[in-house]
Amino acid sequence: MSNINWNFPESNYAQRHGISEAGIETYRGTLFSSLAKEVCQNSLDARLDASVPVTVEFSKFQIKTKNLPGYAKLDEALNTCLHFETDQKSKIFFEKACGKMNEKSIDILRISDFNTTGLTGSKEPYKVNPWHSLIKSSGISDKQGATGGSYGIGKSAPFACSDIRTVFYTSFDTDGILASQGVSRLISFPIEDNKNTQGMGYQISMSGPPKWKVGNTEKFTQGIGYYGETEKNTPLFEELNLDSSFKRNGTTGTDLYIAGFLNADNWQEELVIAILDNFLVAIYNKNLVVKIGDITISENTLKNIIESFKINEDKKYQSIWSYYQVLTSTDNPGEHPNSFFLGDTFRDLGPFELKILYDNLNRKVLISRANGMKIFDLDRLPSNIRFSAIFILSGDNLNSYFKQMEAPQHDSWEPDRHPDKNAKNVLRELKQLIINKIIELGRSNVDEHMEVEGIGKFLPDNLLLLDASVENSKIDKISDETRKVSAEQITENPKKRNIKTIPKTSDDFNNPRMNITDDFNDEVMEVADSVFGNVANITEEEKYLKNEFSILNSDNNVTEIQEINRVEDVGLRLILLNKKMKKYRLVISPQRDIEKACVRISLSGEQNNLKSKIRNAYKDDSIDNSLLLNQDKIYIENLKKDEKFVMTFILNYSDECSMEVELYEYRV
């Protein structure tokens, strides 16, 4: 017949363990932050359905102390630890622990997750698996690749929050197995043997409460005890009913019960702040929902939570507020043209995402795993640009590589931990890449209304390159030859040609060798000064433009252009959003109302410009607001003075290139 109780295995004359257990001490300085980070990280790593967020629930309740599973045996172990001759730090801890056990009721924090696989492997005692890695292993982790922790000490965080260092686990896994077990991490204390039975036990006093006496013995426990089947310290295959208000009811997931949860009146607020600090990206991206008592933190409630906890007002929460603004602004580029979203790959390790908002923010970069868990804040950046940014390691290989240099607390990168001897250089290269992109885009953001003159500077070739050496190896200059898509030679860079020069023919207009001083016509007005209806002479250039910009409507009929002029009094900003997709954002800032306009995108060649081929274009990056296209031209309407018009477009071109942008006003 099985015996269900606490069992503290003998150490067999091996090493003895004291109260300063390394794993627990690691988290004592940041109790709630560490608890939130380790628990939610484990839950995200065990996500079952990627289309549904993981839910983690924190709920505090009380039970009668004597209803703790195996109360008598656990109380006996704690008192033996207290009365054994040990150090002062241990005595202070066990005095408090034994006091908790003498109280009528005891606080317990239940942490439950949902949409997770549960802890598989509870019936496989000799394998490294999630159950044994969490409950019966030290310094062992079964996590590989891009998932979670790799040191196996995160399991100690809940014990740091227990006044009796005791945690109970219940899990229902995807194999349909329900298992429960308790773990108590104490110190090595003496146990009875055949020669001396005074190792643990009561010394009864007739005149007062029971007194403890610990006899001499050579046998000690390992310092850790298990509640379950005592013969082999195996789990119970049933649910521990500690919280009468909660039942798992066949839903996969894991429940942790922190017995003797430390007394902190502000525990809910501390956990809320810890969740926002460490999992803001995960929550915003709908990967995680967290419930703390009656508080629910989700993508839908995030704004209200931030306001109710005054995250946007308290200076000590500046980073959380800054990063929240980064997330919301980069999702709404039409309303926030000073925000940028860049997607690219790093080396051959896979893709990353960089989101930047230029404003009076915290000047830091949140470094995040793909699942949205923060690793650390990159700061001390060498620039006076005011901004905030989020860098996400979105690729599995990229996550896996940098996980190997994470510190045990998952709050920094330490390249000396990495097996790759070149890891320090790889880390330095990644940091420099982030800094370069922030500075490059920040400089282009200083003047919101950049002039059209010299449009080639809007997208430098080195925008996505790390340094000059990398740039030189990557730039592939454009020639007149046909590339991966057909490219048609067009005009010389407009800024290099006198606007008053009149080409004799369309061929002359496309001829880069045409002398800019030839055939000056005093009657032709500057484009910037021209007014619709008042142009006295129609030049050959205007004829060419009218033909070039003619619109092919949905009925395959050509709508002829009556008048067309290049617009000079406008601000244009062109930003690369996704290097792989060749996706760009163009922000137009008109200084007057323009009823009908057309944007022409050219590829900058070494000697001549080439026509681009635009595949898709949308207003405000909305697929419902598609714009009319004609190869290298995008037609738009109703531009308003001082109102930014934002569009996104995708080029059908695969090579690195600089581009030039022109805005024309026309009338049909």
Side-chain angles (χ1 to χ4, degrees):
M1 183 175 179
S2 62
N3 183 20
I4 300 173
N5 208 334
W6 283 99
N7 181 45
F8 291 84
E10 182 186 347
S11 64
N12 196 25
Y13 306 101
Q15 185 179 18
R16 287 165 55 180
H17 297 275
I19 195 65
S20 299
E21 197 268 323
I24 296 175
E25 290 298 315
T26 297
Y27 299 109
R28 287 192 60 80
T30 54
L31 290 173
F32 292 109
S33 179
S34 300
L35 178 67
K37 192 166 189 175
E38 296 298 335
V39 166
C40 292
Q41 170 192 270
N42 288 338
S43 297
L44 283 171
D45 290 341
R47 190 175 185 177
L48 185 60
D49 183 352
S51 66
V52 179
V54 169
T55 297
V56 179
E57 184 175 295
F58 295 79
S59 178
K60 182 180 176 183
F61 63 98
Q62 287 188 335
I63 64 171
K64 292 181 178 179
T65 307
K66 292 188 177 180
N67 286 344
L68 278 174
Y71 166 80
K73 189 76 172 181
L74 180 61
D75 185 51
E76 180 181 306
L78 289 166
N79 274 279
T80 302
C81 291
L82 172 61
H83 292 88
F84 175 60
E85 293 182 4
T86 185
D87 60 274
Q88 186 64 25
K89 183 178 180 180
S90 297
K91 286 186 178 296
I92 293 173
F93 172 81
F94 286 110
E95 283 176 356
K96 184 176 182 179
C98 291
K100 287 281 184 182
M101 295 294 284
N102 288 330
E103 294 176 359
K104 290 184 178 180
S105 60
I106 190 167
D107 290 329
I108 297 179
L109 181 69
R110 174 177 58 82
I111 309 173
S112 301
D113 64 27
F114 305 89
N115 186 35
T116 61
T117 61
L119 297 174
T120 57
S122 58
K123 289 190 174 182
E124 299 174 321
Y126 306 111
K127 293 183 178 181
V128 176
N129 53 49
W131 176 271
H132 288 277
S133 293
L134 180 63
I135 295 174
K136 296 182 69 177
S137 301
S138 177
I140 295 176
S141 174
D142 68 304
K143 298 178 182 180
Q144 304 295 328
T147 58
S150 56
Y151 295 93
I153 70 168
K155 68 196 73 173
S156 298
F159 291 90
C161 296
S162 169
D163 283 335
I164 60 173
R165 287 201 177 177
T166 300
V167 177
F168 294 91
Y169 303 86
T170 291
S171 184
F172 184 68
D173 67 19
T174 50
D175 296 325
I177 299 174
L178 178 63
S180 301
Q181 194 154 20
V183 179
S184 188
R185 295 180 177 271
L186 306 180
I187 64 172
S188 296
F189 59 83
I191 55 176
E192 61 185 29
D193 57 26
N194 294 331
K195 295 181 180 178
N196 187 345
T197 59
Q198 301 297 318
M200 295 177 65
Y202 283 108
Q203 176 67 44
I204 302 296
S205 171
M206 300 300 295
S207 60
K211 294 182 180 180
W212 288 90
K213 180 180 179 181
V214 178
N216 296 323
T217 179
E218 294 180 346
K219 291 188 176 183
F220 287 82
T221 66
Q222 297 175 12
I224 185 170
Y226 302 95
Y227 178 81
E229 299 276 357
T230 57
E231 183 178 356
K232 294 184 178 180
N233 298 314
T234 53
L236 306 175
F237 294 101
E238 61 185 45
E239 188 171 4
L240 286 178
N241 297 317
L242 295 181
D243 186 354
S244 59
S245 66
F246 173 77
K247 294 290 183 183
R248 185 154 283 279
N249 294 325
T251 304
T252 59
T254 301
D255 309 311
L256 276 72
Y257 296 92
I258 302 178
F261 181 60
L262 51 84
N263 185 18
D265 294 335
N266 63 338
W267 70 275
Q268 286 182 296
E269 180 181 350
E270 291 283 344
L271 278 177
V272 168
I273 299 303
I275 293 295
L276 292 177
D277 184 38
N278 291 290
F279 294 96
L280 181 67
V281 177
I283 293 169
Y284 186 84
N285 289 341
K286 301 180 183 179
N287 291 329
L288 179 66
V289 173
V290 180
K291 299 180 179 180
I292 304 172
D294 57 356
I295 302 170
T296 298
I297 310 174
S298 68
E299 187 267 341
N300 292 328
T301 67
L302 201 50
K303 182 179 179 181
N304 290 335
I305 294 294
I306 285 176
E307 291 175 353
S308 62
F309 281 85
K310 302 187 184 304
I311 302 298
N312 55 335
E313 298 177 12
D314 197 324
K315 190 174 181 179
K316 67 181 178 181
Y317 303 138
Q318 181 190 17
S319 287
I320 298 175
W321 175 234
S322 293
Y323 297 140
Y324 176 73
Q325 292 180 83
V326 173
L327 291 170
T328 55
S329 65
T330 51
D331 266 3
N332 298 280
E335 299 178 10
H336 303 276
N338 57 332
S339 66
F340 302 88
F341 173 81
L342 305 178
D344 203 350
T345 57
F346 177 69
R347 290 194 160 201
D348 58 350
L349 294 174
F352 66 81
E353 297 176 5
L354 178 60
K355 302 183 178 187
I356 313 171
L357 175 63
Y358 293 95
D359 207 334
N360 188 25
L361 303 172
N362 65 342
R363 290 193 64 248
K364 295 180 181 180
V365 183
L366 184 155
I367 306 296
S368 169
R369 285 191 185 153
N371 62 15
M373 186 188 86
K374 183 177 87 170
I375 306 172
F376 64 95
D377 293 319
L378 179 63
D379 56 8
R380 296 190 294 274
L381 300 178
S383 172
N384 59 358
I385 299 173
R386 303 300 298 182
F387 75 97
S388 187
I390 296 174
F391 183 88
I392 302 174
L393 303 161
S394 49
D396 285 346
N397 290 339
L398 194 61
N399 268 274
S400 180
Y401 183 89
F402 282 93
K403 188 192 78 170
Q404 295 181 74
M405 64 175 74
E406 281 185 21
Q409 297 95 325
H410 314 296
D411 58 3
S412 64
W413 281 335
E414 300 173 358
D416 288 340
R417 296 180 180 274
H418 205 290
D420 181 8
K421 294 181 180 179
N422 195 41
K424 189 173 294 186
N425 291 329
V426 174
L427 175 58
R428 185 183 298 113
E429 183 178 332
L430 181 68
K431 287 184 176 180
Q432 193 62 51
L433 174 63
I434 296 171
I435 292 169
N436 284 357
K437 289 191 175 185
I438 290 171
I439 293 175
E440 183 70 44
L441 290 173
R443 286 171 178 165
S444 71
N445 188 62
V446 171
D447 184 1
E448 273 201 7
H449 301 282
M450 296 178 70
E451 294 296 328
V452 176
E453 280 298 309
I455 288 294
K457 67 185 178 183
F458 281 126
L459 188 69
D461 286 335
N462 68 341
L463 177 61
L464 289 175
L465 304 179
L466 182 59
D467 53 35
S469 62
V470 180
E471 176 182 353
N472 292 335
S473 69
K474 287 191 175 181
I475 292 180
D476 187 4
K477 294 182 178 178
I478 301 173
S479 69
D480 296 338
E481 300 174 355
T482 301
R483 304 300 297 268
K484 295 183 181 178
V485 298
S486 59
E488 179 182 343
Q489 180 179 321
I490 62 172
T491 70
E492 176 70 8
N493 189 336
K495 74 183 179 71
K496 296 181 181 179
R497 185 165 54 81
N498 192 322
I499 196 68
K500 295 183 179 180
T501 301
I502 306 175
K504 299 297 184 183
T505 66
S506 295
D507 291 337
D508 286 341
F509 184 72
N510 288 322
N511 185 358
R513 297 180 179 84
M514 180 178 178
N515 191 322
I516 65 173
T517 63
D518 289 347
D519 301 314
F520 185 86
N521 188 336
D522 288 328
E523 296 186 34
V524 181
M525 295 191 298
E526 294 279 3
V527 172
D529 297 330
S530 65
V531 180
F532 278 140
N534 294 328
V535 179
N537 295 311
I538 299 177
T539 67
E540 289 295 326
E541 178 175 352
E542 288 170 330
K543 291 179 181 178
Y544 166 79
L545 291 175
K546 288 179 182 180
N547 180 65
E548 175 72 11
F549 284 80
S550 295
I551 303 171
L552 184 66
N553 60 33
S554 59
D555 297 326
N556 289 325
N557 295 320
V558 176
T559 301
E560 293 186 356
I561 302 295
Q562 297 300 316
E563 293 183 7
I564 184 164
N565 290 304
R566 181 178 165 191
V567 180
E568 300 285 353
D569 52 344
V570 65
L572 299 174
R573 291 173 53 227
L574 183 63
I575 305 300
L576 177 59
L577 298 180
N578 189 306
K579 181 180 179 182
K580 186 175 182 180
M581 292 176 59
K582 293 295 182 290
K583 183 177 180 180
Y584 299 84
R585 177 196 300 159
L586 176 63
V587 181
I588 304 173
S589 302
Q591 297 179 24
R592 57 184 172 86
D593 292 348
I594 302 175
E595 182 180 354
K596 294 181 182 296
C598 181
V599 174
R600 180 162 72 173
I601 310 293
S602 308
L603 307 182
S604 301
E606 193 171 13
Q607 295 180 346
N608 306 300
N609 292 338
L610 306 176
K611 274 190 176 182
S612 66
K613 189 170 183 180
I614 302 169
R615 193 170 68 195
N616 304 102
Y618 305 101
K619 180 182 178 183
D620 295 327
D621 202 17
S622 171
I623 197 170
D624 296 327
N625 295 326
S626 60
L627 299 171
L628 181 64
L629 300 176
N630 181 9
Q631 189 164 318
D632 61 336
K633 293 175 281 294
I634 307 170
Y635 296 87
I636 55 180
E637 296 181 346
N638 299 322
L639 299 182
K640 300 297 182 182
K641 179 182 178 181
D642 297 330
E643 291 185 11
K644 293 181 176 62
F645 185 97
V646 181
M647 69 168 74
T648 56
F649 63 90
I650 297 175
L651 278 186
N652 191 12
Y653 196 80
S654 59
D655 294 314
E656 298 279 355
C657 62
S658 292
M659 287 187 293
E660 296 181 1
V661 180
E662 300 167 278
L663 182 70
Y664 289 85
E665 180 179 19
Y666 69 90
R667 189 175 71 184
V668 296

